[in-house]
Structures are given as structure tokens and as C-alpha cells.
Amino acid sequence: MTRAVVNGGPSAVRRRGAGNAVLGLAGLCGFLALVEALPRLGFVSPDHLPPSTDIAAALVDEMSDAAFWTALGDTLTGWALGLFIAITAGITTGMVISIVPYLREATASTVEFLRPIPSVALIPLAVLLFGTGLRSTLLLVVYAAFWQVLVQVLYGVQDTDPVAEETARSYGLGTWARIRHVLWPTALPYVMTGVRLAAAVSLVLAITAELVIGTPGLGARIAVAQTSHAVPDMYALVAVTGLVGVLINAGARAVERRSLAWHQSVRGEVTP
Amino acid sequence: MRRLPAGLVAVALLAVAATACGSSSSGSSGKSSDGVTTVRVGVIPIVDVAPIYLGEKKGFYKERGLDLTLETSQGGAAIVPGVVSGQFQFGFSNTTSLMVARSRNVPVRAVANGVASTGKAGADFGGVVVKGDSPVKSPKDLAGKKVAVNTLKNIGDTSVRESVRKAGGDPKSVEFVELPFDQMPAALDAGQVDAAWVVEPSLSVAREQGARVVASNFVDVSPDLTIALYFTSDKLAQQDPDLVKKFAEATRASLAYAAGHPDEVRDILATYTKIPEKTVQALTLPRWPEEPDRASLERLGELGRQDGLFDEAPDLDALLP
């Protein structure tokens, strides 16, 4: 009730949504105009930052090239596979650590030690183990995304209402039933936050791996454009990675909203 | 309580196994029933490796029963471990890097020539450039200046020091900084460095932006400097000398063909690089002799020793084919 009143009702929410979209679009247009103006007015050399119209032309060129779509596919494969492995491993590991007595305390320092190690530092290891193939990308992606999910699962499970937990126990619910009906619903909002963060981090690491190691994908294509001094092409590809990031984030938010439709944070207060 | 964690652990282990295992499966070369061997070669997508792309297109490898897969990587740093671990059967690397690897007992050896300097001062495919209005007029003036090279303690700083030394300057006073080739024209333009050692296509780009060549550092080391080589691991060389021989023959044929067909070289560049057309036509191509130049390598090894890259000049008999 209160929330609906503050927002001025559902139609106001819709209007505000439309207003946000217009504002967002205006912001984007402003940014594009800035990139167009800076080189044209001589603030930066167009050799180093071409105007946005040149970048757009290069983007159209790229899109007519089959190799571009293959590269995009390679990047998305590395991203999706890595994210999937990280989520599966993160959730299972997190649940096991939370459920098995004393395991959380025993692993806490190790987790805190491993978590801040940047994935990029593992590049030499990845190359040594897997060369310049997809598995090198996966190693970096999984390592970066895994901790995002794991830590959220740990926090999520810790947030379980002790009364609900005790009630479940006193009703004789088994481990599986307690996970299913008590731990999992409590942890899910945290897990979804972890998944959303992991989805973004995975893309960053997939592109980084391609850029630095040369595994096939958009990143490797950016690197080739860079070494070839095809400056507009390079910026066009960079823009594509940004675009993919926006889509991935929008997708992750949609998944989050759907899977948490029942949760307070998404559904809000019930309006009469 | 007991059953579930076991299941979860199994899933987690499977996930880890999916990422960690199978590293041996794709590594080794596969021989199919019709006698065609799949060969993976680690290369850097630059002008220097045009002959192998051209040779593959011309069928020089196929006619010897080699099915070539060229895997591009962003630098020798990924290629040498790739070859040693068997991910690649062959790789492309600059000569100094191979000497350094050999001096640290990394089991690699050259199998075919890679690329060589044009030997013409002022018209090589690599050189030291300064801004058009720079006070630096000769390599001697580089003393005390900040010079960009793509990798420190490698062929770039070693050869630039030799240019300064030969011109009568103090090579020790040159300050080297590390920058990727493609960023050097911009860094030079912005005054972040006083000079930059660049190779094609960055050399043409820098010149187009008004930069001036003050030293042909490769030529100053030796008139026919062998700059890079194709190499393999000692292990493969012992296990499959026949494969190595075939690859070396096909590469030799490719180098000869590329040397004789510069127009086709420029055409093939468009297939694996994105160098703009006008730069492709303007750039100086390197030379692709069939054999490495031993005298130049002895000189390069000696310079590397002087600069402290390795303690003693490398044993060329162990390194060269």
C-alpha cells in the first residue's frame, strides 16, 4: 500500500519508466555526439579516436563479415559455458559448506584468501595448461564468477531465520526438505544477485582472455584490429562488447525478477 | 543428511573435471587413415608470418600430408609454453626469445627460418622513429632519451643499444619503456616517449603521422639479421623427425614463394589482419630467405650476453636446424 501511494499508482510507474527510457536515450545520444565532436573539433586526433560516424560505418562493415558472427558466437559460448559451470559449482559448494558442520569455519580463511586473486593473474597458468583454446577462457571465467556466486550463497544461507529452521526441524523435515523449503528460498535473492554479478564478470573475463591470450572471439578480433591499426574497427568491436554487456545485464535482471516474483523485494506490498 | 552432500560433491567435482580434464586430448597431432597429419602452429597475426598463410593457401603443406591449423596468439609469451606443452606442434618466435628460452633450458629448437631484415638502412620493416620536429638526428642523440620497445630485455632494446653504440653514443644511458607497437605512434605523438622502436604496420602509420626514422636497428646489428624462426619442442623433434622434416620443407617452399610474390603477400595480409588497404600497399615487407643467417645470430647472441639477457652466448648448434 505505502509503496504504491508513494509512487502514485501503477500508471505513474509506467510513465516514469517511459521517462527513464527517454532520458537514457538522450544520455546515449549526448555521448555519441561528444565522441563525434571531440575528434572533429581537434581535441583528440581522429587517428586515435575516430568520430562516432566512422565507428558506426566500421560496425556495419563488421556485421557483414561472417567471421565477426563466429567471433561473437565464440565469446558467448565461452561466457555461457563458464557462467554455467561457475553457478553450478558455486551453488553446490556454497550449500555443502553451509550444511556440513564446521566446514564454513574451516574454509572461511581459504575462501577469503583465494577470492581476491584476480583471474587475470592466472593467464600464464591457463596458457600452460590449455594453450590458446576455449578452456583457457573457461578457466579465467569460472575462477572469477565462482566466488561471486559462492560468497552470495554463503551469506544467503546464513540469513536463514533460526525460528523457521527450528520449526522445520521440529516438524521432522529432512536435510533435502529443509534445503528445498527453508534454506533455498532464503538464499535465492542473494544467489540471484551473485548470478547477476557473475554474468557481468564472466563477460569481462571472457573478452579479457581473448584479448590477452588470443583465444578465438571478439577479444581476439579487437587485438587483431589493434595491432593492424584498424582504429575505427577496434572501437566498433569495443562498442559491440558494451552492447553485449547491456543485453546480458538486462537478461540477468529479467531472470532475477521472474525467479523472485514471489519475493518481497520484487512484488512489493500487496495493493488492495 | 548423508546422501545429499555426496550427490552435491559429485556434481561439484564433475564441474571441476569438465574444466580441468582432457588437456591431453587435443594436444597431440592426429594422424588420420589417409595419412594426413593435423598440425597446429602458434603464430602472431603480424606481417612476418604472411608466408605460412600463403603457403597454406598454395597447398605447400597439404601436398606433404600436413593439414595446417594456424592458431593466433597475442605474443611469444603464449606460444613458447604452447609448443613445450604440446598444444602446438610448431610456433613462431623472435630469435632473442628463443635464445633466452634455450639459455634457461626450455627444450625448444628452430626448424625453419622465419623472417629477416631487409638489410637496407632507412628502408627496413622496423626502425627507431622520432617526431618530425625532434632534436634527435642520429642514433647517437638517443642517449639519455626515453625509447619505447614492445618487450624489455629482448631483441628491441638489444638492437637499439647497438645502433647507439655504433653511432658513438652511450648505450647505457638510453631509457627503455615497454609499450605495445600499436600504441607507439600515439605515445610518440603525445610526447610520452622521445623515440619508439616500431615494426610494420605501426612503422608506416607513424611515418604517415609525420614521424622520422633515425635508426635501422636491425641493420645495425647485422646486414642480414634473422629476426624470427619457426620452432618446435625437443620432444617432438626426437619423436617425429619425419613430421618436422615435412614442416620444414613446406615452410621453406612457402618462404621462397612469398619472397618471389610480394603482391600475393599483400593480398594475404587482408585475410588474417585488418591492416587498412592504404597501409598494406605502403608498408615495407621484410625479407624471407630460406635459411637463417648464422653470422647474424652469433652477433645477436653476443649482444644479448653483453646486455645480460643470458650469462653466456647460446649454443647455436643446439638451437638451429
Side-chain angles (χ1 to χ4, degrees), chain B residues 127-194:
Chain B
V128 181
V129 291
V130 294
K131 265 176 113 158
D133 57 1
S134 164
V136 177
K137 302 287 179 210
S138 90
K140 191 182 172 188
D141 304 333
L142 289 172
K145 294 281 191 280
K146 198 191 255 188
V147 181
V149 292
N150 72 327
T151 316
L152 291 172
K153 287 192 173 288
N154 209 296
I155 195 165
D157 44 358
T158 304
S159 57
V160 172
R161 276 197 201 98
E162 176 68 358
S163 289
V164 176
R165 194 178 290 124
K166 275 196 161 170
D170 175 17
K172 284 203 180 70
S173 69
V174 183
E175 186 197 344
F176 289 99
V177 291
E178 209 171 89
L179 265 185
F181 284 130
D182 53 271
Q183 287 169 25
M184 289 182 190
L188 197 63
D189 200 30
Q192 287 155 2
V193 291
D194 302 306

Side-chain angles (χ1 to χ4, degrees), chain A residues 48-73:
Chain A
H48 309 320
L49 177 67
S52 41
T53 41
D54 286 9
I55 298 174
L59 183 59
V60 172
D61 266 5
E62 277 291 331
M63 278 160 50
S64 63
D65 188 346
F68 164 77
W69 296 104
T70 316
L72 181 62

Side-chain angles (χ1 to χ4, degrees), chain B residues 150-295:
Chain B
N150 72 327
T151 316
L152 291 172
K153 287 192 173 288
N154 209 296
I155 195 165
D157 44 358
T158 304
S159 57
V160 172
R161 276 197 201 98
E162 176 68 358
S163 289
V164 176
R165 194 178 290 124
K166 275 196 161 170
D170 175 17
K172 284 203 180 70
S173 69
V174 183
E175 186 197 344
F176 289 99
V177 291
E178 209 171 89
L179 265 185
F181 284 130
D182 53 271
Q183 287 169 25
M184 289 182 190
L188 197 63
D189 200 30
Q192 287 155 2
V193 291
D194 302 306
W197 168 58
V198 285
V199 297
E200 294 290 9
S202 303
L203 178 59
S204 290
V205 170
R207 276 176 141 164
E208 210 175 286
Q209 291 170 10
R212 178 161 52 82
V213 176
V214 289
S216 293
N217 48 324
F218 290 153
V219 184
D220 288 336
V221 172
S222 180
D224 294 306
L225 180 61
T226 299
I227 289 154
L229 298 156
Y230 290 94
F231 68 100
T232 190
S233 63
D234 281 354
K235 192 172 157 217
L236 186 76
Q238 280 155 17
Q239 277 177 355
D240 202 344
D242 186 48
L243 175 70
V244 172
K245 191 164 148 267
K246 281 181 186 162
F247 178 82
E249 278 173 14
T251 305
R252 193 189 299 259
S254 305
L255 292 167
Y257 189 86
H261 300 81
D263 290 340
E264 289 186 46
V265 168
R266 289 184 203 273
D267 287 344
I268 201 91
L269 284 178
T271 63
Y272 70 93
T273 74
K274 296 179 77 66
I275 304 173
E277 180 59 26
K278 68 173 172 83
T279 314
V280 167
Q281 295 309 325
L283 57 80
T284 307
L285 291 177
R287 267 183 344 112
W288 286 295
E290 292 175 45
E291 295 295 336
D293 180 67
R294 201 182 161 107

Side-chain angles (χ1 to χ4, degrees), chain A residues 89-251:
Chain A
I91 292 178
T92 42
T93 315
M95 283 293 174
V96 171
I97 290 180
S98 303
I99 292 167
V100 179
Y102 305 115
L103 199 53
R104 189 187 167 94
E105 291 75 7
T107 53
S109 51
T110 312
V111 168
E112 286 310 314
F113 165 69
L114 291 174
R115 190 159 68 105
I117 295 177
S119 225
V120 179
L122 301 179
I123 285 178
L125 179 71
V127 170
L128 207 60
L129 287 177
F130 304 126
T132 58
L134 174 65
R135 280 170 304 172
S136 285
T137 308
L138 285 181
L139 178 71
L140 301 197
V141 170
V142 171
Y143 190 85
F146 172 74
W147 303 111
Q148 306 279 359
V149 181
L150 177 70
V151 169
Q152 292 295 331
V153 173
L154 293 180
Y155 284 137
V157 174
Q158 208 172 31
D159 198 36
T160 308
D161 182 357
V163 177
E165 173 75 359
E166 288 308 315
T167 312
R169 274 183 198 277
S170 59
Y171 273 96
L173 266 65
T175 306
W176 179 242
R178 277 191 293 117
I179 290 179
R180 172 74 188 79
H181 298 291
V182 182
L183 296 188
W184 180 246
T186 309
L188 192 58
Y190 290 84
V191 173
M192 290 319 290
T193 305
V195 167
R196 191 155 47 77
L197 293 175
V201 166
S202 296
L203 182 68
V204 172
L205 265 300
I207 307 261
T208 306
E210 293 159 5
L211 197 62
V212 179
I213 305 173
T215 51
L218 284 177
R221 219 169 149 78
I222 291 175
V224 170
Q226 212 174 359
T227 51
S228 302
H229 286 276
V231 183
D233 286 78
M234 186 191 82
Y235 282 107
L237 290 164
V238 170
V240 171
T241 62
L243 222 56
V244 173
V246 169
L247 292 178
I248 283 176
N249 197 37

